[in-house]
Structure formats: structure tokens, C-alpha cells
Amino acid sequence: MAAFRKFEVVDKVVESDIITSFYLIPRDGQVLWDVMPGQYLTLRLPGPDGPVLKTYSVSSAPSEACHYRITVKREAGMNGAPDGFGSCWLHDRVEVGDRLDIAAPRGSFVLDETSERPVLLLSGGVGLTPMVSMLHRLAETEREVYFLHACENGRVHALRDEVLGCVNDRVQARFAYRNPSDKDRREKHHDVEGVIDKTFLRQHVPIGDYEAYICGPTGFMAAVYQTLQELGVAENRIPMSSLARRPR
């Protein structure tokens, strides 16, 4: 069984209408575990029938030495389904100063740092969390990067300014909103109204020998995966996260 350590919530930041970040520092005086860009933390939460394990991607930079950050969507139940236990417990009950049991970063959906190929980071909704961690690491390299994110509109778009802060002559960011608001259109918060599809990719990404990382809802990942293959990206260069299939 994984070894857990006590961490304290030192900040709780609302990132959008449905997404909140939690900043976590160890209480045992020890250093943070090393984390690879894309990995997740396991939290042990108090459930009604005993401890419940939930996993959330590290969204902070892998080089961050003082804290971890997890960025969590509040998964409200729909059509009679119950609320997501872990995400709602964090949003509704956890405050600054509270302590959580956390196990070391895990997960095989990680950035290949040995490669020099250009990178596509494609995310839908809260699937951007591991991509932001990857983006921070890639921004320190000489690799060409396209950060491509799809969501409903600006009210639910998290970490937008942080992503734009990584943009430079090698790193580009493009956003697709399915139902943008009048404010989104007026303030040009997005690059296209719609979804990430073949037209979007052809318009915003030059032809290249890319490695493409995908994270988001299952339907989003399947559609983007198929589109990338149709555009000639090799199957072995399209890692997909299993995050969307893990309970929240």
C-alpha cells in the first residue's frame, strides 16, 4: 500500500465557475517528492464507510519546490446521478489550514523529455491540468509547442492567463469555445467558436512531425485521436491520458 504523508492546504484559488486549485505543502518538514510532468497525486479522503482514494493531476510546474497544486472540477451529478464525492468534498468542505493524506506522484501519462520533436498538448475541460504541468516544463526547453484547449466558454476556462504567460516565439496557445458568451467574443478570449477538429488543426498548427498528448472527456479524446491519425500523426506518438476514466 502507498505511503501517505500529511499535507496542509495553504491556498484555495477559484479558477473558474466550476474549477478550483488547492496548494499543498508537506507538514513533516521533508521535501516534496519528485514529480514528472503529467503525473497525479493520490488523496485519501474520509468517506462515509471509510477512507476513499481519489487521484488528481499535479497542475503546478514540475520544478516547483515549495508546493504541489491540484486543480479540480466540481463534478456535480446530472440526470439523477450523485455528485462526485472527491471533487465536491474538496470544493465544499476543504479550506486553507486543513490537512490531507497524500501519496507520492504516480502515472505513466508523462511527457517524453528525451525527445526533441515538436509537441501538441490537446485538452478538453479540466483535462488541461496535466497539460499545464507539461507546458511549464516544455517552456524551459527549445522545443516547439502548441497548447490547444477546448471548453464551453470563458466562465469555465481555468488557468487561461497562466497558459498565456508561457507563450513565446516557440510556444503557442489556441482556445476553442463551444458556446462563447458575448463577453468572450467582445474580449477575444478564444480563437475559434466550436471544437478542436480537422479544420481547427489545419488552421492553427503547421504540418510537422509532432508528439501529441491528449487529455479530456472520453469522447473528446476519441475524436481528437481519430483526427490526428487522419492528419498523419503516427499512432505511437499520440499518448492519451486515462484521467477521464478515473472516478472523481
Side-chain angles (χ1 to χ4, degrees):
M1 186 174 179
F4 286 83
R5 294 165 60 186
K6 285 287 185 186
F7 280 71
E8 181 177 338
V9 178
V10 293
D11 204 358
K12 179 180 179 180
V13 178
V14 175
E15 305 287 5
S16 78
D17 284 4
I18 57 174
I19 296 174
T20 294
S21 288
F22 300 83
Y23 290 74
L24 309 162
I25 64 168
R27 293 301 305 166
D28 57 11
Q30 301 300 309
V31 299
L32 297 176
W33 293 296
D34 290 337
V35 57
M36 300 172 68
Q39 289 189 310
Y40 58 83
L41 299 175
T42 301
L43 278 60
R44 184 167 60 193
L45 308 180
D49 300 314
V52 177
L53 302 183
K54 295 291 181 178
T55 56
Y56 300 99
S57 294
V58 176
S59 62
S60 47
S63 58
E64 171 59 56
C66 295
H67 64 258
Y68 296 124
R69 181 183 67 186
I70 57 173
T71 302
V72 181
K73 176 185 175 185
R74 190 183 188 281
E75 298 284 1
M78 299 179 64
N79 301 320
D83 290 344
F85 170 77
S87 64
C88 291
W89 191 85
L90 288 168
H91 274 250
D92 300 344
R93 300 186 60 180
V94 171
E95 301 296 342
V96 172
D98 289 344
R99 297 186 180 186
L100 302 173
D101 294 331
I102 297 178
R106 299 180 61 189
S108 59
F109 179 68
V110 296
L111 179 69
D112 180 0
E113 298 188 62
T114 66
S115 173
E116 296 181 355
R117 292 189 184 92
V119 177
L120 304 180
L121 301 176
L122 300 114
S123 57
V126 77
L128 91 167
T129 55
M131 303 306 198
V132 172
S133 180
M134 292 183 186
L135 177 65
H136 280 294
R137 176 57 54 83
L138 287 163
E140 301 169 353
T141 73
E142 297 301 317
R143 296 172 73 177
E144 182 181 358
V145 182
Y146 290 86
F147 186 100
L148 310 173
H149 180 63
C151 62
E152 195 71 9
N153 51 49
R155 294 192 303 111
V156 299
H157 187 177
L159 306 178
R160 179 179 183 274
D161 290 343
E162 182 172 332
V163 168
L164 290 176
C166 294
V167 169
N168 56 38
D169 58 350
R170 294 175 294 94
V171 178
Q172 301 297 316
R174 299 287 185 269
F175 307 126
Y177 287 1
R178 188 167 62 174
N179 291 305
S181 66
D182 291 340
K183 179 180 179 181
D184 292 330
R185 296 188 182 99
R186 185 173 61 252
E187 299 183 4
K188 299 181 179 178
H189 287 169
H190 59 298
D191 298 282
V192 67
E193 185 168 338
V195 299
I196 295 177
D197 55 14
K198 193 177 297 185
T199 299
F200 177 93
L201 291 172
R202 283 174 169 164
Q203 181 179 356
H204 294 289
V205 179
I207 295 173
D209 182 22
Y210 295 104
E211 291 176 356
Y213 296 80
I214 309 173
C215 186
T218 302
F220 167 86
M221 292 198 297
V224 170
Y225 180 84
Q226 179 65 32
T227 299
L228 290 172
Q229 288 202 296
E230 291 173 0
L231 292 173
V233 180
E235 181 179 0
N236 63 353
R237 294 185 186 164
I238 313 178
M240 290 199 298
S241 173
S242 61
L243 288 170
R245 295 185 288 275
R246 292 210 302 270
R248 294 290 184 170

